[in-house]
Amino acid sequence: MRPDPPDRPDTTDRPDRSDTAEPPRAGQVGVVVIGYNDLAHVGDAVRSALAQGPAVAEVVAVDDCSTDGSAELLDRLAADEPRLRVVRRNENSGGCGSPRNAGIDAVTTPYVMFLDSDDVLPPGAVDALLVAATGTHAEVTSGLCVRRELPSGREEPWQEALYTAHTVLARPSQRPRLVHDTLCVNKLYRTDFLREHDIRFPEGRFLYEDIVFTARVLAAGPRLALVPDLVYVWHVRRAAEQLSLSLDRDRIDNWKARLEACALAYEILLSAGQKELARAARAKFLDHEVRMYTRELGLRDADYRRAWWAHTREYLARYDAADWELDPGAPGRLLAQVVLESPEPRDLPRIRELAARPARLLPPYARTSDGAPVWSTDLPQVALAPLLTRPIDRLPLAVDAELHPRARASLLRLRLHELYGRVAEAGPREVDVEWQSRDDDRTRGRTTVRLTPSRVGTGTETHTESGARTEAESGTGSGVRTGAESGTGTGARTGSEARADSGTRTGTEARADSGTRTGTETGPESSAHNGARNGTLDGARSGAKIGPASWSAELPVDLDGLGAGTWDLRLTVRFADGTQREVTAHALTGAGRLRRRAVPSVRHGVLLVQPYATHSGALALRVAAGVRGVMQVARSRLRRLLH
């Protein structure tokens, strides 16, 4: 995901970053390393803490009753390193909170920070935090964390917008966005601050203990220093036998634990009189938690979906009017309103796309009889009117994408949809296209292509739903679109689509640039009320201007130039006034569009090309190069590639 635009840096009370700044004093910091049955990684974590230099007076390794030899390894390391102390717990806690609390009790240094056994501290992390802490008299000092995907090594900054400059805050309420950084491990705490305010982690098996601990820290109103330095490397091992607690989200108990932690954090902030931070925490829940889990609903079975929907509705019912007024056009807020207003799961493909980063709101774009934009004809309670005033660079623009791998010239087709007149008003001119590697973030194939208006319409829509959707747009052309989509509990989407622009292709979805479209959706989420949703809408808006209903572009793709790897399609739409919007593209499915193909290659002999839809519905591409690469894919990923 792409980080949000950075907040305006605080210009008051910044620390002096001149060359005359004093180096950190030795022996000031204790690092608490916690671990349980992590023999393969805990040694690296401890060594990364000891390698921070003389600023680290002690490393307290708390073993949570491991049975895999971790404690014995720590004892051997401690025998050769006087700064390392091992604390053994007699009973496994089942979580991270209890061992961290044991570490807080054990440290003897003025400052303390936390490190998990499967992560590492990068060189210079402690010095960067300690210089800022001592130079500004901050009780809490925080720096940049990156999530490093293993084994690829790809890194993604965590809450980068908070760490663009050296900044000092007299109190947390000066930067409400602090509630988004719920990690405890990228921070240096003054030890007596934690002890004086009795700030501790929840004990026992309490998931998402960081969320509660961070709320307690912010509720105490500390003086904070923020630094742009990299201070923590969070290792993400999605292929691990035992997933970390934050990644193990396929059971409903995980979501219930997340709800419990977020609810407790809100109450902690509110009880401390931190009303602005409490409200920001509720907004963060919509933007982060709701979006993350709705993206994954299509991967879950029907029982999970119903349970998730019910628990989320109950939680959202606690929000008051002021909670909903904050940034009403934000994607997470719109998603939450769909959940709150619907008794059963519905529109899962559409909410998955809106939950993506950047967000995409797919058609149809319904209106009430008086022209007000709404989610759908049968859910007019979810008003989309905030989109009419939301800046163009923050709109959930929808771009369809279709890749045709070919022997001579592979072709990428793009179509940008109108959104209640806002796109036409901004005047889309061109789109920057590039492919970003999942392995090392390099980009290839960067090019710019003009966007061409595809069809002219009046803005009048008629929309009916009865397990199916039909929308009609009056225009100057004449054509029909019909489509079918089905979802499965494993996240796969199948269907058939065919498009007719100047010719005709067969399939379950046919499109012609005609001004009239008919669409049908089937699947477990096609009906919200026992398979039946009925409604009609005459969406004529008074004074609607005639204008394009979409804009299209075509461009060649140099698959040889991309080479082997997994590639994400990244787009930047540019408008007439110089505004731009970064987007990802919705992958069109069906009619063989996402079928793997072997194509000849001048450079590699042969390429095995697999366009596919990500979990959020975006177009991505897998490429295996050469005969050896093709054979490796055929052996290891055959089931995944076949449809």
Side-chain angles (χ1 to χ4, degrees), residues 267-324:
E267 292 299 332
I268 289 169
L269 293 168
L270 194 63
S271 298
Q274 301 281 3
K275 293 183 179 180
E276 188 175 5
L277 292 178
R279 203 168 297 285
R282 280 193 162 175
K284 187 272 296 184
F285 174 79
L286 303 182
D287 182 64
H288 181 63
E289 275 82 7
V290 169
R291 290 180 74 173
M292 176 168 57
Y293 281 75
T294 52
R295 279 198 302 271
E296 299 173 351
L297 277 182
L299 305 175
R300 315 301 181 208
D301 60 28
D303 289 340
Y304 177 99
R305 295 175 188 176
R306 285 192 295 269
W308 185 93
W309 205 271
H311 287 299
T312 307
R313 292 185 78 225
E314 187 278 329
Y315 184 82
L316 293 174
R318 307 176 197 175
Y319 279 43
D320 58 31
D323 291 324
W324 296 111

Side-chain angles (χ1 to χ4, degrees), residues 10 178 194 246 303 327 353 479 485 487 539 619:
D10 217 315
L178 287 168
L194 297 181
S246 61
D303 289 340
D327 197 7
E353 302 270 346
E485 290 183 326
L619 180 67

